[in-house]
Amino acid sequence: MSSRPEFQAPPEIFYNDVEARKYTNSSHIQDIQTKLSERALELLALPDDSIPRLLLDIGCGSGLSGETLSESGHHWIGLDISQAMLDVALDREVEGDLVLGDMGQGIGLRTGVIDGAISISAVQWLCNADKSSHEPRLRLKAFFGSLYRSLARGARAVFQVYPESVAQRELITSFAMRAGFSGGVVVDYPHSTKRRKEFLVLTCGPPSVSTALPTGKVEDEESCSDASSDDGDERTVSISERHRPTKKRKLTKKVRGRQWVLQKKEQMRKKGNIVPPDTKYTARKRKARF
Amino acid sequence: MRLLTHNMLSCNIKGVTNGFPLRIEAEKFMEKEVDFNIDFLKSIFSKIEWTALVEAAQSLGYNELPEEVVDSSSMLESSDFLKKFHHALLELHLEEGALICPETGRRFPVSKGIPNMLLHEDEV
């Protein structure tokens, strides 16, 4: 997609009949959504007692993410603003209950009834003012406030988001904090532009040992420089009520050593490229003017 | 929409303090079979508003639920009770009709099993 969907139209208009079907029938999208939902479910850290839980799928769309929840045996309620997407979900006979609603108007559920909430690629829509009467800040406040109330104590909410910018991510997390959530951002594959995925993991209640953030995934197939072994710190940013949300630290490109150059050359040779032989001059420090 | 979901839904209109439970106006409902899971029923029981569930089941024509659950620990062991609970909670589906807010009387239409909870501009 060349431009972000949020810039083209409000979600209930963008996801019309045609777009809804196109979205759901694309095997690429199905694959991604399934993986994201599985990861989100994992990050929900539900107790491992095989008791089905009641979960909320915010922006459930055509039920791609909900199906992952059903497959794990849970009951779920899905909320979406696009009737067309929900119709596709009906066609696919998803097991969860669907509700046509606007998350920016509040979740509309009783206090403390939900055991966990996930949202795949939906929350960023809240940051756009799709109608002249919309004020994104009020909508974010209504959303997070009502979500906090509807979650049981100790329950988590996991949002996979594609934030348009650092500022947008900050906006989302700041409203989450104001509603009383604690938690942080988990980033999977932070170095890969294609595979990089962000999950906002929020917990109800004060931060404690049990709510420690899980670490994001890192590539293990490609050989990374040994110097980047402290990437663990850069993969998660935790936020709490005490201090303002910390910006995710810029990934500092460490100065590549000789080891890294040799590894890269070996890779290229395996690929079949013509690479000059390794000598004592390889990756030797040159004079600054070079 | 199952009665499990109905038991959780509350009216979201601004200023409404008592938006639960939503009264059901049923035009069409169905019964779908769902796997019986005792653990789930036991764990969800504490979250269910019992009176609301009984009323909702009655509006769909199911009158088998006891009006009150006095001794929940022993009731939850009775398989007869669990079967009725399971049936009412998960197997009765409201397909067409409406949900009515008890305080304002606002109708939320239900179509194809999906309740339309979208609020108008002035209700937010």
Side-chain angles (χ1 to χ4, degrees):
Chain A
M1 278 181 240
S2 47
S3 98
R4 295 172 66 94
E6 302 93 79
F7 295 158
Q8 292 185 30
E12 66 270 29
I13 298 181
F14 180 82
Y15 288 112
N16 57 18
D17 296 353
V18 173
E19 193 61 37
R21 272 181 209 283
K22 215 169 64 168
Y23 185 91
T24 319
N25 286 335
S26 153
S27 61
H28 176 63
I29 293 206
Q30 277 180 23
D31 192 44
I32 292 185
Q33 294 288 307
T34 309
K35 287 206 172 67
L36 292 175
S37 323
E38 283 167 0
R39 180 68 171 136
L41 188 54
E42 197 186 343
L43 291 169
L44 263 185
L46 295 170
D48 192 18
D49 52 12
S50 42
I51 298 181
R53 293 288 189 310
L54 181 59
L55 304 175
L56 185 60
D57 186 350
I58 303 166
C60 62
S62 42
L64 289 170
S65 41
E67 277 176 353
T68 312
L69 300 177
S70 293
E71 265 157 39
S72 302
H74 298 296
H75 292 281
W76 54 276
I77 301 174
L79 180 70
D80 203 273
I81 198 175
S82 160
Q83 180 69 56
M85 287 290 253
L86 291 177
D87 285 337
V88 176
L90 285 176
D91 279 346
R92 302 175 82 229
E93 296 189 352
V94 292
E95 289 180 33
D97 275 342
L98 305 168
V99 175
L100 177 65
D102 182 353
M103 61 169 115
Q105 292 178 345
I107 296 293
L109 295 174
R110 269 196 297 126
T111 311
V113 293
I114 298 293
D115 298 315
I118 66 164
S119 175
I120 307 294
S121 321
V123 174
Q124 69 266 16
W125 286 96
L126 263 183
C127 299
N128 291 56
D130 291 320
K131 296 192 179 124
S132 54
S133 55
H134 277 186
E135 167 50 71
R137 291 187 139 71
L138 291 176
R139 289 165 59 74
L140 282 161
K141 182 173 165 198
F143 170 64
F144 280 112
S146 57
L147 180 63
Y148 190 80
R149 278 193 305 275
S150 67
L151 283 171
R153 187 138 183 94
R156 283 191 181 184
V158 177
F159 304 146
Q160 183 275 323
V161 273
Y162 293 115
E164 180 195 329
S165 59
V166 173
Q168 198 189 66
R169 197 209 291 121
E170 300 258 303
L171 185 66
I172 296 174
T173 45
S174 73
F175 273 95
M177 267 168 43
R178 274 182 236 187
F181 283 111
S182 55
V185 179
V186 174
V187 186
D188 286 347
Y189 308 111
H191 300 294
S192 161
T193 33
K194 246 180 63 174
R195 291 158 79 190
R196 185 179 199 278
K197 293 289 184 274
E198 275 189 32
F199 293 87
L200 179 61
V201 179
L202 301 171
T203 330
C204 277
S208 70
V209 176
S210 59
T211 61
L213 277 186
T215 44
K217 294 190 186 156
V218 189
E219 293 122 353
D220 36 22
E221 296 94 349
E222 291 176 6
S223 47
C224 289
S225 160
D226 290 346
S228 59
S229 56
D230 61 339
D231 262 355
D233 298 335
E234 300 177 84
R235 269 182 265 134
T236 61
V237 177
S238 54
I239 50 173
S240 66
E241 298 156 49
R242 286 286 177 78
H243 34 88
R244 293 186 308 143
T246 47
K247 278 198 169 93
K248 185 176 184 316
R249 253 187 282 147
K250 277 207 193 112
L251 298 172
T252 47
K253 244 193 171 162
K254 304 273 192 225
V255 173
R256 308 292 191 181
R258 186 165 185 271
Q259 205 49 38
W260 178 85
V261 170
L262 288 173
Q263 274 174 356
K264 279 309 225 183
K265 288 177 80 172
E266 198 49 51
Q267 271 182 7
M268 289 296 149
R269 279 194 202 101
K270 284 206 187 105
K271 264 198 192 169
N273 293 342
I274 301 172
V275 181
D278 297 332
T279 68
K280 63 176 179 180
Y281 299 110
T282 308
R284 191 182 63 163
K285 255 186 114 53
R286 269 76 174 178
K287 263 206 301 192
R289 257 180 43 196
F290 188 88
Chain B
M1 181 188 65
R2 296 167 299 182
L3 295 187
L4 169 63
T5 306
H6 166 263
N7 204 268
M8 308 297 165
L9 279 175
S10 150
C11 174
N12 221 4
I13 298 179
K14 187 165 79 172
V16 166
T17 44
N18 193 20
F20 177 86
L22 296 163
R23 202 163 42 84
I24 296 186
E25 230 178 60
E27 277 159 39
K28 182 174 152 218
F29 65 93
M30 278 174 26
E31 290 187 18
K32 290 185 199 169
E33 217 181 289
V34 173
D35 287 340
F36 186 73
N37 188 317
I38 297 187
D39 292 325
F40 176 70
L41 292 172
K42 285 187 178 167
S43 73
I44 199 85
F45 179 78
S46 51
K47 293 196 185 139
I48 300 285
E49 281 284 326
W50 190 255
T51 334
L53 181 64
V54 175
E55 271 173 21
Q58 282 169 354
S59 63
L60 294 184
Y62 186 69
N63 300 312
E64 305 291 317
L65 289 177
E67 290 283 342
E68 249 185 58
V69 180
V70 183
D71 181 12
S72 56
S73 46
S74 70
M75 288 292 253
L76 285 175
E77 295 305 319
S78 136
S79 72
D80 185 52
F81 170 77
L82 284 174
K83 284 206 176 68
K84 291 182 188 162
F85 181 36
H86 169 81
H87 185 75
L89 195 68
L90 298 172
E91 293 185 332
L92 294 175
H93 285 257
L94 176 64
E95 291 291 319
E96 305 284 332
L99 301 173
I100 323 263
C101 170
E103 197 175 303
T104 59
R106 159 85 147 92
R107 290 184 93 244
F108 295 101
V110 179
S111 150
K112 295 185 276 193
I114 303 180
N116 182 341
M117 309 300 290
L118 287 169
L119 301 175
H120 305 310
E121 301 302 337
D122 51 345
E123 292 171 327
V124 179

